[in-house]
């Protein structure tokens, strides 16, 4: 009997989980914590989201919140289909890179070899430039917006995209000189895949990617009128309630992927097992682009190669009409998180990060030490306040003195590390440049990914009524096929155009509004 009792005691100590009130039994349930994160949309009166998490190829969690169709009281389920916005781009890049593997495309191909409709800009735009957003091509959606018919207000097709692109007489910069995100490049990639293969882009990706990976609920919105069983309607919330906001356009490749959060996890798992494309595709998709001056950028093959709180993160967000999406992978932890939503007011990225945090607890490195700041005389800090114009884009960076501290006009704190170098609260740095007269003449924005963006100091403009009158007249763009009228009303400049465009202009610096 003594032996039996001794064995019984040992068994009890080895299995503490059967005892009430122990630590193991009180371990927080990640699913319950995720429910808290998405609680706002756990309602039969609101659109919502799906979220799915996997680790080492095993699905840890797949949850659904809110309604897929408010008019028909259809709830969102884990298999509800959403549109993934620009999360789609990695699949377009993969399609092009598969053709590179098959010898049907080359990264160095001049795009005009496949799309002769594009103008000759003197220096070739390559397939690699399209993949990495370094082509210099203008975003066709911005141009049709200037024309008065932004995306979402008129049906657009790839024929429209090509027509707009073919009319552009110049690039934003020499191919390879800079990075600028443009949907045009990814629409062109979809067109090129079709022309090279003789298949529709949807059919090629179905055969080459979706079916091999078991992505049964994934396809493309290449015909917005097609019935898609199980698709969530997209919405936007206004003061008077929810309104549907669906993408009625046929352009795709830049976006337009119809999918589920669980299918996106299957795609992410391909980066581990390489069933589609093997190691060569995995490497190519994650190869960051390089600019002409050999600077490496964060953008790879439809993917941002980032750092999240000390951990490598491979991710991309998406937004089309009222759909929102975010897909992230943490390769060192073999963890993936997918979030898809059908409400344009939702920011899917922080929801995905908050979810990821639950599964990354204890796995993040100790935060890097923040550089030591220095004290500067207030007059030295005040001397740096003012307006700075991005030499590449003309976009303004405003600095102001507030409560003895330097801040951007967007509200970010800027702390001095030396007399000329300041740390921005988002991790960037500002290196102020002093001219021969001893005054601040500009600055360089030093980004965490190693870019150095020059800004020139400019004087804020306050034009007189007579000076404003000099701008009055008609301004025509053949490239956007639009004419604007500039008028003065109640002492301010206004732009007016078709069909009902009217907006005011705020002076920034000389000739810039």
């Amino acid at each position: 009997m003594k032996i039996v009792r001794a064995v019984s005691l040992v068994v009890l100590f080895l299995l503490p989980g059967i005892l009430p009130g122990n630590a193991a039994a009180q371990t927080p349930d990640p699913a319950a914590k995720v429910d808290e994160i998405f609680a706002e949309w756990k309602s039969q009166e609101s659109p919502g989201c799906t979220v799915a998490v996997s680790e080492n190829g095993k699905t840890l969690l797949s949850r659904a919140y809110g309604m897929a169709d408010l008019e028909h009281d259809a709830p969102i389920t884990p298999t509800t289909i959403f549109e993934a916005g620009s999360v789609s781009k990695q699949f377009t890049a993969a399609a092009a890179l598969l053709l590179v593997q098959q010898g049907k495309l080359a990264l160095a191909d001049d795009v005009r070899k496949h799309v002769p409709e594009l103008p000759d800009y003197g220096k070739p735009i390559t397939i690699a430039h399209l993949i990495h957003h370094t082509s210099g091509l203008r975003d066709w959606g911005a141009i049709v917006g200037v024309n008065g018919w932004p995306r979402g207000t008129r049906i657009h097709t790839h024929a429209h995209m090509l027509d707009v692109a073919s009319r552009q007489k110049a690039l934003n910069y020499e191919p390879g000189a800079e990075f600028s995100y443009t949907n045009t490049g990814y629409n062109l990639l979809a067109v090129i895949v079709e022309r090279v293969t003789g298949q529709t882009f949807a059919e090629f990706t179905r055969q080459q990617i979706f079916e091999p990976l078991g992505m049964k609920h994934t396809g493309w919105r290449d015909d917005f009128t097609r019935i898609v069983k199980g698709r969530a309607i997209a919405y936007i919330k206004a003061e008077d309630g929810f309104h549907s906001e669906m993408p009625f356009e046929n352009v795709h490749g830049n976006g337009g992927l119809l999918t589920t959060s669980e299918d996106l996890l299957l795609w992410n798992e391909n980066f581990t097992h390489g069933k589609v494309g093997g190691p060569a595709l995995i490497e190519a998709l994650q190869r960051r682009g390089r600019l002409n001056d050999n600077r490496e950028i964060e953008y790879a093959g439809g993917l941002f190669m980032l750092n999240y709180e000390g951990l490598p993160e491979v991710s991309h967000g998406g937004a089309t009409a009222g759909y929102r999406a975010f897909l992230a992978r943490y390769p060192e932890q073999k963890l993936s998180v997918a979030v898809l939503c059908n409400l344009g007011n939702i920011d899917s990225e922080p929801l995905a990060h908050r979810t990821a945090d639950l599964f990354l607890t204890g796995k993040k490195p100790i935060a890097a030490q923040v550089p030591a700041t220095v004290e500067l005389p207030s007059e030295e800090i005040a001397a740096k306040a003012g307006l700075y114009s991005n030499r590449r884009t003309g976009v303004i960076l405003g600095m102001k003195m507030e409560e003895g501290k330097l801040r951007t006009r967007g509200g970010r704190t800027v702390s001095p590390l030396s007399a000329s170098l300041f740390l921005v609260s988002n991790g960037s740095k500002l290196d102020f440049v002093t001219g021969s007269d001893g005054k601040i003449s500009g600055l360089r924005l030093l980004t965490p990914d190693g870019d150095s963006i020059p800004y020139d100091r400019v004087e804020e403009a306050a034009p007189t009524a007579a000076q404003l009158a000099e701008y009055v007249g008609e301004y025509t763009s053949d490239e956007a096929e639009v004419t604007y009228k500039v008028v003065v009303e109640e002492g301010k400049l206004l732009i007016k155009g078709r069909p009902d465009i009217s907006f005011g202009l705020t002076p920034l610096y000389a000739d810039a509004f």
Side-chain angles (χ1 to χ4, degrees):
M1 292 297 293
K2 291 181 181 179
I3 294 175
V4 172
R5 281 197 294 271
V7 172
S8 298
L9 288 171
V10 170
V11 171
L12 288 173
F13 283 119
L14 286 175
L15 300 175
I18 67 173
L19 295 176
N22 64 82
Q26 295 174 358
T27 300
D29 176 14
K33 292 292 185 181
V34 172
D35 286 346
E36 292 178 12
I37 293 171
F38 289 85
E40 181 179 347
W41 301 286
K42 191 175 182 180
S43 166
Q44 294 182 344
E45 306 298 327
S46 170
C49 306
T50 60
V51 56
V53 180
S54 67
E55 187 177 47
N56 285 314
K58 179 183 178 182
T59 300
L60 302 181
L61 176 143
S62 183
R63 311 286 277 185
Y65 309 90
M67 303 301 286
D69 187 334
L70 292 173
E71 291 184 349
H72 298 93
D73 296 323
I76 294 172
T77 73
T79 57
T80 294
I81 294 172
F82 296 76
E83 193 160 319
S86 288
V87 171
S88 313
K89 286 184 170 68
Q90 57 201 284
F91 295 92
T92 306
L97 292 168
L98 284 172
L99 291 178
V100 171
Q101 283 188 17
Q102 296 167 14
K104 298 176 181 178
L105 270 183
L107 290 174
D109 276 355
D110 185 338
V111 172
R112 295 187 72 248
K113 174 183 177 182
H114 308 286
V115 190
E117 296 95 323
L118 290 181
D120 184 350
Y121 294 112
K123 294 191 176 181
I125 298 169
T126 67
I127 300 295
H129 289 143
L130 299 184
I131 289 174
H132 295 127
H133 294 296
T134 57
S135 65
L137 288 165
R138 297 164 180 168
D139 188 281
W140 71 269
I143 295 166
V144 296
V146 168
N147 183 263
W149 294 100
R151 292 174 61 192
T153 59
R154 175 182 279 185
I155 297 170
H156 291 109
T157 68
H158 281 164
H160 291 122
M161 178 275 300
L162 282 171
D163 179 58
V164 172
S166 69
R167 290 199 309 271
Q168 304 311 301
K169 299 174 183 177
L171 300 172
N172 286 336
Y173 48 81
E174 177 185 319
E178 303 291 349
F179 167 89
S180 62
Y181 194 90
T182 172
N183 287 305
T184 304
Y186 271 77
N187 293 130
L188 288 173
L189 285 172
V191 169
I192 290 168
V193 169
E194 292 191 339
R195 293 183 176 183
V196 169
T197 65
Q199 295 177 280
T200 66
F201 183 68
E203 183 66 13
F204 178 80
T205 50
R206 182 183 66 80
Q207 292 180 359
Q208 299 285 327
I209 300 174
F210 305 146
E211 285 187 351
L213 295 180
M215 299 172 68
K216 298 178 181 178
H217 302 288
T218 301
W220 294 94
R221 188 250 307 124
D222 54 342
D223 178 356
F224 77 93
T225 68
R226 184 185 297 123
I227 301 299
V228 179
K229 293 288 188 181
R231 173 167 52 180
I233 303 299
Y235 298 92
I236 193 77
K237 189 174 184 180
E239 291 184 2
D240 61 344
F242 296 108
H243 292 251
S244 62
E245 185 154 329
M246 293 292 287
F248 59 98
E249 61 181 20
N250 292 336
V251 289
H252 56 288
N254 62 317
L257 186 76
L258 300 171
T259 190
T260 67
S261 54
E262 293 178 350
D263 271 13
L264 290 176
L265 295 185
L266 293 174
W267 163 251
N268 261 11
E269 185 58 22
N270 191 63
F271 286 87
T272 300
H273 56 61
K275 184 175 182 179
V276 169
L281 178 65
I282 294 168
E283 189 278 330
L285 280 169
Q286 298 180 108
R287 187 189 307 132
R288 291 165 57 157
R290 283 192 179 275
L291 302 180
N292 296 341
D293 60 5
N294 208 37
R295 279 184 290 143
E296 192 175 56
I297 62 175
E298 293 178 332
Y299 207 82
L303 295 164
F304 283 100
M305 310 299 290
L306 303 172
N307 181 287
Y308 175 64
E309 297 187 357
L311 298 179
E313 177 188 271
V314 183
S315 62
H316 210 297
T320 298
Y323 292 109
R324 297 295 181 266
F326 194 78
L327 178 63
R329 182 167 51 86
Y330 303 91
E332 292 182 355
Q333 291 72 33
K334 295 183 171 59
L335 183 78
S336 289
V337 178
V339 173
L340 294 170
C341 306
N342 65 330
L343 180 59
N345 308 81
I346 293 177
D347 189 347
S348 53
E349 181 175 346
L351 293 175
H353 280 148
R354 289 174 63 192
T355 301
D357 288 341
L358 298 174
F359 298 88
L360 294 173
T361 302
K363 298 178 181 179
K364 296 178 184 177
I366 298 173
Q369 185 175 358
V370 178
T373 59
V374 299
E375 293 290 332
L376 292 179
S378 59
E379 58 269 21
E380 284 192 33
I381 296 176
K384 295 171 175 64
L387 295 183
Y388 298 82
S389 173
N390 186 315
R391 199 177 295 169
R392 300 175 186 170
T393 65
V395 172
I396 283 294
L397 173 63
M399 310 296 297
K400 60 183 178 180
M401 183 79 166
E402 194 173 77
E403 298 177 350
K405 295 182 179 181
L406 194 63
R407 288 190 173 89
T408 68
R409 293 197 177 183
R412 292 190 179 276
T413 302
V414 184
S415 307
L417 302 177
S418 70
S420 62
L421 189 63
F422 283 63
L423 177 67
V424 187
S425 58
N426 66 354
S428 298
K429 294 177 182 177
L430 301 178
D431 187 12
F432 290 89
V433 179
T434 303
S436 57
D437 59 357
K439 297 180 180 180
I440 301 297
S441 60
L443 61 83
R444 300 192 74 83
L445 172 62
L446 309 176
T447 65
D449 66 341
D451 199 359
S452 176
I453 305 171
Y455 282 74
D456 295 317
R457 188 163 194 171
V458 291
E459 293 300 320
E460 192 162 358
T464 64
Q467 290 171 326
L468 287 179
E470 294 177 6
Y471 295 105
V472 170
E474 290 191 348
Y475 298 79
T476 298
S477 167
D478 295 335
E479 294 164 293
E481 294 186 315
V482 66
T483 295
Y484 281 155
K485 288 184 177 180
V486 176
V487 300
V488 176
E489 290 185 6
E490 297 180 357
K492 294 183 179 181
L493 278 189
L494 275 77
I495 278 184
K496 295 191 174 184
R498 298 171 58 195
D500 58 354
I501 296 172
S502 181
F503 54 86
L505 297 179
T506 301
L508 291 174
Y509 54 95
D511 296 327
F513 292 79

